[in-house]
Every structure is written in C-alpha cells, then in structure tokens.
Amino acid sequence: LVVRAVRIAVSDAPAPAFAMMEREDREAVALARLARLPEDRVAAEVGVGVREVRLRMLRGLRALAATPAVSRG
C-alpha cells in the first residue's frame, strides 16, 4: 500500500523537490527514501536491475543537490 501511494504521489503531483527530477529518477529516489525500500526491492518494483536503480538515484539526488533552493537549505 505504501509503495503504491508513493508511486502515485511522485507521478501525479510531485513535491517541488522531486519535480525537477526525471520521472524514473524521482520514482527510484522516492521508493528508496520515502518508502524506505532497499535497492533490490526498488529494482523489483520498477522492473530494472539494482545497478540501474543506483544510477537513477544518483541522477535524482544530483538534480536535487543542484537546485539552489534545496542546496541552501
């Protein structure tokens, strides 16, 4: 239930911090950080390998860090 809710939330109406990420990256970051899923479970949920999940999370977190409003805290 939590996984489904997180996936819907970041897909339909992402919070500003998630909105600048690509959809795939946003979903991986949200499932790992908000739903607290381990990388292998995120991979199973989205249908990719763990390596791809790690790449998506890296891209998403870099996008987040590059956002001035977020990086200034």
Side-chain angles (χ1 to χ4, degrees):
L1 186 59
V2 170
V3 171
R4 185 166 185 238
V6 168
R7 290 182 86 174
I8 290 170
V10 298
S11 141
D12 292 351
F18 286 93
M20 90 289 293
M21 296 179 196
E22 294 294 325
R23 184 188 56 78
E24 300 88 10
D25 303 342
R26 177 172 59 233
E27 185 174 44
V29 171
L31 289 172
R33 300 296 186 245
L34 301 178
R36 296 180 160 220
L37 297 182
E39 292 172 343
D40 60 333
R41 177 89 189 277
V42 174
E45 288 293 332
V46 300
V48 299
V50 172
R51 185 178 176 136
E52 178 63 21
V53 166
R54 289 178 181 154
L55 179 61
R56 290 177 182 190
M57 289 176 59
L58 178 64
R59 284 191 312 245
L61 293 173
R62 281 184 175 163
L64 184 64
T67 303
V70 174
S71 61
R72 283 184 275 207

